Amino acid sequence: MIKLEDNEKIIKVFRKHWLPISLELMSLFLVAIIPIILFSFLRNTLFFDLSLRNAYFLFLLYTLFLIFIWILSAIIWLDFYLDMWVLTDKRLIDVEQKGLFSRDISSLRLDRIQDIKIETHGLVNTLLKIGDVHVQTASAQKEFLIRQINKPDLVKSSINTAHNLEMEKAKIVRLEN
Amino acid sequence: MKYNISMSEINKNLSLNSLIDLIEPSHASLVFIIFAIIAILISIAILFHFNKYRHHSLGTIFAELIYLAGIVFLFGLAFIFLVLFSK
C-alpha cells in the first residue's frame, strides 16, 4: 500500500466515523426492500395475477437487483475502509479512494505543519464527536483536510504530539551540527 | 362512437403474465450470463482491493468472507429461479 521511508513508523491510522457509511448502507437496504413493499401492495390487482412460472421470473429479477445492491454495498464499504489518514513519525499521509479504480495519495511532512484547526457542525456531530480537522501547512498545498473523523480533538492532539517530537528531533540535529 | 371496454378487460390485456410470457427462457439465460460476467469482474476488483490491504486487520478477511458468501448465495438463488422459469 503506502511506501514508508527508512526508519519511518506508523503512529496511528484514522478513518471516517461509522455514521456516514451506516446511513449510506441503511438507505441501500431501504432501496432493496422497496420492490417487496410494492409487490405486497400490487399483488391483489389483476395486473399482478401471476402464474407460478412467471412469479419465478420476478424473483429472478429481484435476486439480480439484490446482487447489484450487494456489490454497491461492498464498493461503499471499500471506499470507507480505504479512505484513511496515516500518521507516521515523519509524515501525515492522506489516502483517498475514489470508486474502485482511482486513488489519491498525498503526504505532508510533519515539520511543514503550521496550525491545526477542528470544525464540528450540528447537534448529531457534536454528540457523536464527529468533525473535520484542518491542517495548515507551509507548503504550496496550504491545507490538508481530514473529513468526518471520529474524535477530532484526539486526532489533533496526536498530530500535535508527533509534530512536536519531529521538531525536537530537528532541534537536536541542529544543535549537534 | 362508443367504446365498450371494461377496466378488467384492459387489465387483462395489460397483464404482467402476458408480458412475461413474451420473454424467451433463452433470452433470460443470456441476460443472466452477461449480468454474472459483469458481477464477477467487479467482484474480482473488489477482492483485489480487499487482499491489497489485507494486513490491516482480521476484520478485512471477515468482510471478504461475508461478501463472498453473500454473492455466492444470491447467484445460487438467481440460478435456481432461472432454472424454474426455464422449465
Side-chain angles (χ1 to χ4, degrees), chain A residues 107-122:
Chain A
S107 69
L108 163 70
R109 300 205 69 82
L110 292 178
D111 56 4
R112 305 287 288 172
I113 291 174
Q114 286 191 327
D115 187 31
I116 305 170
K117 190 175 82 178
I118 296 173
E119 265 184 8
T120 304
H121 297 291

Side-chain angles (χ1 to χ4, degrees), chain A residues 142-155:
Chain A
K142 296 252 173 160
E143 195 177 82
F144 211 80
L145 177 61
I146 304 174
R147 285 176 197 279
Q148 294 177 316
I149 201 100
N150 191 18
K151 295 178 184 167
D153 49 338
L154 282 182
V155 175

Side-chain angles (χ1 to χ4, degrees), chain A residues 129-147:
Chain A
K129 295 177 182 171
I130 306 170
D132 298 343
V133 179
H134 299 257
V135 183
Q136 306 282 336
T137 73
S139 63
Q141 196 188 346
K142 296 252 173 160
E143 195 177 82
F144 211 80
L145 177 61
I146 304 174
R147 285 176 197 279

Side-chain angles (χ1 to χ4, degrees), chain A residues 1-4 10 12-16 78-88 91-98 102-108 141 144-147 149, chain B residues 49 52-53 56:
Chain A
M1 52 171 291
I2 305 154
K3 280 192 177 175
L4 297 179
I10 293 176
K12 263 183 186 171
V13 176
F14 308 113
R15 284 202 173 79
K16 279 184 188 172
L78 261 184
D79 202 5
F80 161 78
Y81 190 72
L82 300 182
D83 266 1
M84 58 184 158
W85 294 271
V86 183
L87 178 65
T88 73
R91 292 180 295 163
L92 179 62
I93 305 162
D94 175 11
V95 184
E96 197 182 350
Q97 187 72 29
K98 295 171 177 172
S102 176
R103 197 155 50 110
D104 275 353
I105 299 177
S106 46
S107 69
L108 163 70
Q141 196 188 346
F144 211 80
L145 177 61
I146 304 174
R147 285 176 197 279
I149 201 100
Chain B
H49 280 89
K52 202 174 177 184
Y53 298 92
H56 277 166

